[in-house]
């Protein structure tokens, strides 16, 4: 299978996960890539983009009906909603519509990869069992990640294709206009702090500053996702994918501040969504002053997600040894990951 021509359908190709997955697949000699997203994209020699509204079953069938050559579906789409219950219908519908559209027309379909997260373990609800393991007991719904996996499990029975469920921690990588991008949250927050002559204060709950947590590098995640989708040993299983190290913000925060040439002041709990709501004029002025790329404030703002992550005043990590036992042995140093992403954002002229 490794040398056979494979065609990837990356659903959610413009997000931090999908974008890095597309980039990884284009480096592999035996893959063609089709990227799905609401906004679409510019076609290249290696990637074809399709703009589609996955919530519209008819539009999805029309746009995907000609993709008969697809062998692997990588599902990483997400739509945000205000409550956990409201997240279920759209996020389940998008997956169902995508599979309903592609399965009947793609006779060579081999695998459907589902991107999940630690919400499967109830990590978003409060202190949960750590390290979380793939066979841990479930929790009270609603939870769209669980509903999506159950749909694939039922749909796969008696079929030639297989599925995998990939469970990263907080994913860090480059993508703009994404509602869940912690590295950009920190970079823009630090840049605005510096512009105002302020030290870098940790804005989360007091307990969050000292809790243990982990991250998942988007590049590492892309490589693990392709591995699980192509290794027969991984068929119809879930895998935690993380960098392999743990950290506390109390240790990481001063290193981040040093990158931005900032002092560190004691933590001060505050809602970024609230205190950063009036900073758009300042951001526009920073673009002009520092010659930044003219990305809107909305494109670089994920303050609600930052508040969510910085509210975890409990340990947040999972056991990644199942993937290692199955053959995926890569790891990433999380401090190096953050600094590399910040350097990349500077190189792209996203931040000063």
């Amino acid at each position: 299978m490794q040398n056979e021509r494979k065609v990837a359908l990356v659903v959610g190709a413009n997000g931090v996960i999908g974008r890095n997955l597309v980039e990884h697949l284009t480096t592999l000699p035996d893959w063609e890539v089709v990227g799905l997203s609401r906004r679409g994209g510019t076609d290249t020699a290696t990637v074809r983009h399709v703009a589609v509204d996955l919530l519209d079953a008819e539009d999805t069938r029309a746009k995907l009906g000609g993709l008969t050559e697809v062998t692997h579906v990588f599902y990483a789409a997400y739509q945000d909603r205000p409550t956990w219950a409201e997240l279920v219908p759209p996020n389940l519908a998008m997956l169902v519509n995508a599979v309903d559209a592609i399965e009947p027309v793609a006779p060579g379909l081999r695998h459907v990869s589902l991107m999940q997260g630690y919400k499967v373990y109830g990590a978003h609800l409060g202190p949960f069992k750590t390290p979380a393991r793939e066979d841990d007991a479930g929790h009270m719904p609603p939870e769209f990640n669980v509903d999506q996996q159950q749909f694939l499990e039922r749909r796969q029975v008696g079929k030639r294709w297989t599925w995998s469920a990939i469970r990263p921690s907080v994913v860090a990588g480059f993508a703009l206009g994404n509602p869940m991008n912690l590295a950009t949250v920190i970079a823009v927050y630090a840049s605005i702090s510096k512009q105002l002559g302020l030290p870098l204060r940790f804005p989360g709950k007091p307990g969050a500053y000292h809790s243990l947590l982990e991250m998942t590098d988007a590049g590492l995640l892309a490589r693990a996702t392709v591995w699980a989708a192509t290794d027969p040993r991984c068929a119809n299983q879930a895998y935690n994918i993380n960098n392999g190290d743990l950290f506390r913000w109390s240790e990481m925060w001063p290193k981040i501040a040093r990158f931005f040439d900032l002092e560190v002041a004691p933590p001060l709990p505050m809602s970024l969504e609230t205190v950063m709501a009036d900073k758009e004029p300042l951001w526009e002025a920073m673009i002009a002053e520092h010659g930044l790329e003219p990305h809107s404030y909305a494109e670089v703002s994920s303050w609600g997600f930052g508040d969510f992550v910085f509210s975890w005043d409990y340990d947040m990590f999972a056991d990644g040894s199942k993937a290692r036992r199955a053959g995926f042995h890569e790891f990433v140093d999380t401090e190096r990951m953050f600094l590399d992403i910040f350097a990349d954002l500077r190189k792209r002229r996203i931040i000063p």
Side-chain angles (χ1 to χ4, degrees):
M1 180 182 293
Q2 297 302 321
N3 296 321
E4 294 179 14
R5 197 68 182 170
K6 296 181 280 288
V7 179
L9 182 67
V10 180
V11 185
N14 286 334
V16 63
I17 292 174
R19 180 188 296 267
N20 283 273
L21 179 57
V22 168
E23 289 181 358
H24 173 57
L25 287 166
T26 60
T27 69
L28 306 177
D30 51 345
W31 286 88
E32 297 175 20
V33 183
V34 180
L36 295 189
S37 62
R38 280 177 293 173
R39 301 192 303 270
T42 303
D43 291 351
T44 67
T46 53
V47 183
R48 176 157 54 103
H49 287 276
V50 177
V52 59
D53 179 4
L54 290 172
L55 287 176
D56 185 331
E58 186 175 337
D59 185 54
T60 305
R61 284 193 299 270
K63 298 290 181 58
L64 275 57
L67 301 178
T68 58
E69 71 278 20
V70 168
T71 59
H72 294 72
V73 175
F74 295 96
Y75 187 88
Y78 172 78
Q79 284 210 9
D80 202 14
R81 292 293 188 274
T83 68
W84 303 126
E86 289 175 273
L87 282 170
V88 175
N91 285 289
L92 179 58
M94 289 192 298
L95 174 63
V96 171
N97 289 342
V99 173
D100 279 352
I102 204 68
E103 187 187 27
V105 303
L109 182 64
R110 301 178 200 165
H111 193 82
V112 179
S113 171
L114 174 64
M115 192 60 59
Q116 295 184 319
Y118 293 177
K119 289 186 180 72
V120 170
Y121 306 121
H124 56 306
L125 301 175
F128 63 108
K129 189 200 79 122
T130 54
R133 294 186 171 88
E134 291 86 348
D135 58 357
D136 283 352
H139 62 84
M140 184 68 70
E143 178 43 52
F144 73 88
N145 287 273
V146 175
D147 290 345
Q148 289 176 327
Q149 181 175 329
Q150 290 175 345
F151 161 73
L152 284 183
E153 289 174 343
R154 292 191 300 266
R155 187 64 168 261
Q156 189 274 332
V157 174
K159 306 294 177 60
R160 295 178 59 187
W161 56 269
T162 58
W163 60 267
S164 59
I166 307 301
R167 299 172 180 172
S169 182
V170 178
V171 180
F174 174 75
L176 295 177
N178 187 277
M180 298 190 294
N181 195 337
L182 185 68
T184 304
V185 168
I186 295 172
V188 175
Y189 174 62
S191 299
I192 289 177
S193 295
K194 187 171 184 178
Q195 186 75 13
L196 293 173
L198 298 172
L200 191 66
R201 291 184 184 271
F202 180 75
K205 289 184 179 179
Y209 200 52
H210 300 286
S211 296
L212 279 172
L213 69 156
E214 65 189 354
M215 300 282 292
T216 302
D217 174 76
L220 173 82
L221 178 60
R223 296 187 291 276
T225 302
V226 175
W227 159 76
T230 54
D231 191 324
R233 294 173 296 177
C234 302
N236 304 329
Q237 295 189 64
Y239 290 96
N240 296 327
I241 302 296
N242 44 50
N243 283 355
D245 58 0
L246 300 175
F247 70 96
R248 305 179 198 273
W249 286 120
S250 57
E251 297 176 357
M252 188 69 71
W253 207 249
K255 298 171 182 177
I256 292 173
R258 195 175 307 128
F259 177 91
F260 289 96
D261 297 318
L262 289 169
E263 297 296 322
V264 175
L268 181 63
M270 54 183 161
S271 164
L272 292 177
E273 200 161 30
T274 299
V275 302
M276 306 304 284
D278 65 342
K279 301 298 188 292
E280 185 170 1
L282 175 61
W283 179 253
E284 297 294 336
M286 290 170 62
I287 289 175
E289 178 181 343
H290 299 286
L292 304 180
E293 291 293 320
H295 294 291
S296 70
Y297 190 57
E299 284 183 291
V300 300
S301 301
S302 303
W303 303 123
F305 184 64
D307 287 338
F308 179 53
V309 174
F310 295 142
S311 73
W312 296 337
D313 53 359
Y314 48 89
D315 292 346
M316 173 71 67
F317 62 95
D319 181 359
S321 65
K322 180 181 177 183
R324 289 192 290 275
R325 290 193 300 272
F328 186 79
H329 299 136
E330 294 194 41
F331 64 90
V332 167
D333 177 85
T334 298
E335 177 187 343
R336 186 74 262 157
M337 177 200 75
F338 272 124
L339 301 185
D340 286 347
I341 292 173
F342 299 151
D344 182 57
L345 290 172
R346 275 186 177 166
K347 183 179 178 182
R348 295 175 187 262
R349 306 303 300 159
I350 307 298
I351 59 171

